[in-house]
Amino acid sequence: MTDIVLRELATLAELKASEDFQRAVWGQEDPADNADLMLAIQHEGGLVAGAFEGARMLAFLIAFPSATAGVQHSHRLGVLPEARGLRLGLRLKWFQRDWCLARGITLVRWTYDPLRAVNASLNIGALGATSGTYLENYYGVMEGINAGLPSDRVMVDWQLDSPAVAFRAAGTRPAPMPGSTRIAIPADLDRLLLCDIDAALLARMDLRRALTDAFGRGQRITGFDNRDAAYLLSDAQA
């Protein structure tokens, strides 16, 4: 795949096509954000963007303004299965950073499933986001790829103008911050869900307790060890 362009979605037809894209990534049972809503979000200062090879969308991102000036909430980020490995999720997030900074937005927040190592590697390791907020069963019962477990999430803070993020944006990984606590997670949640749903549920409950306790002590997630699939937590501020 060559000549991939990152840009905002430009037409109602592209917004409608993104509904099918969402179902392809998150599953047919997971409700997609509809085109009318996304059009309104764009008009009110939100970001709806994608990575395109010609007219074909390979990755998708939607984010909208929050109640706090200078803060954006990032709602969805997805990549087609056949396009994974091209680092399009990471590239779209850097596109989002540039877009936000050009508009005076310096903090982006979003939630993700802390039990998914691939998401932790992107959000914490590659992007330099941090977290100190755990949300139990945030979305209630979910379908599609999220079916089978309580929909626990962590809320991450991505401080766009922080040195840690700026270094990463420039292609330089700063020295890892030593963590006073390490919390391991499954290396492949999807495989675990297929092979042993009870073990996946136990992993969810164990991680819920560990992160809730650590956050209660004032610690934050400040790093992720890809090799061992483990969070690094410290008393450092976001």
Side-chain angles (χ1 to χ4, degrees):
M1 295 181 179
T2 58
D3 299 325
I4 295 174
V5 176
L6 276 62
R7 60 172 174 81
E8 294 183 65
L9 274 60
T11 65
L12 185 58
E14 287 185 345
L15 292 170
K16 287 186 178 296
S18 77
E19 295 180 21
D20 291 333
F21 178 96
Q22 293 171 62
R23 286 186 281 268
V25 171
W26 284 280
Q28 293 293 324
E29 301 84 2
D30 193 320
D33 294 312
N34 67 61
D36 292 347
L37 174 64
M38 290 185 285
L39 183 63
I41 286 173
Q42 277 191 320
H43 284 175
E44 291 299 331
L47 172 63
V48 186
F52 291 85
E53 184 182 38
R56 187 182 183 218
M57 188 186 306
L58 302 177
F60 170 78
L61 180 149
I62 178 171
F64 47 82
S66 76
T68 305
V71 179
Q72 184 184 76
H73 181 85
S74 196
H75 179 53
R76 282 187 189 260
L77 172 67
V79 179
L80 286 180
E82 59 267 34
R84 288 169 190 164
L86 299 177
R87 300 176 68 81
L88 294 181
L90 182 62
R91 289 174 62 184
L92 260 184
K93 294 302 288 186
W94 292 131
F95 177 91
Q96 180 184 20
R97 178 178 183 264
D98 291 341
W99 188 96
C100 286
L101 289 176
R103 291 160 176 80
I105 299 167
T106 57
L107 177 65
V108 179
R109 293 193 291 250
W110 65 89
T111 65
Y112 80 92
D113 184 344
L115 206 57
R116 291 188 178 276
V118 64
N119 292 355
S121 178
L122 171 66
N123 297 327
I124 307 300
L127 294 173
T130 68
S131 179
T133 303
Y134 196 92
L135 305 165
E136 292 187 15
N137 203 25
Y138 186 56
Y139 294 108
V141 176
M142 299 186 73
E143 302 297 337
I145 65 169
N146 293 298
L149 293 178
S151 57
D152 289 19
R153 298 291 184 266
V154 292
M155 178 73 75
V156 301
D157 300 299
W158 196 30
Q159 189 64 49
L160 304 182
D161 53 359
S162 71
V165 175
F167 278 129
R168 287 169 168 84
T172 303
R173 181 68 65 90
M177 183 179 295
S180 58
T181 303
R182 293 175 63 91
I183 300 176
I185 62 173
D188 189 338
L189 177 60
D190 289 322
R191 180 180 295 275
L192 189 60
L193 283 168
L194 286 173
C195 299
D196 193 340
I197 185 65
D198 291 335
L201 180 58
L202 180 61
R204 168 70 85 215
M205 296 299 105
D206 286 347
L207 183 60
R208 177 189 288 182
R209 284 190 292 270
L211 286 180
T212 299
D213 289 348
F215 292 165
R217 296 194 300 270
Q219 292 188 313
R220 295 184 64 87
I221 294 172
T222 54
F224 187 74
D225 185 333
N226 290 318
R227 183 184 59 187
D228 296 333
Y231 287 107
L232 308 177
L233 292 92
S234 71
D235 297 325
Q237 298 299 308

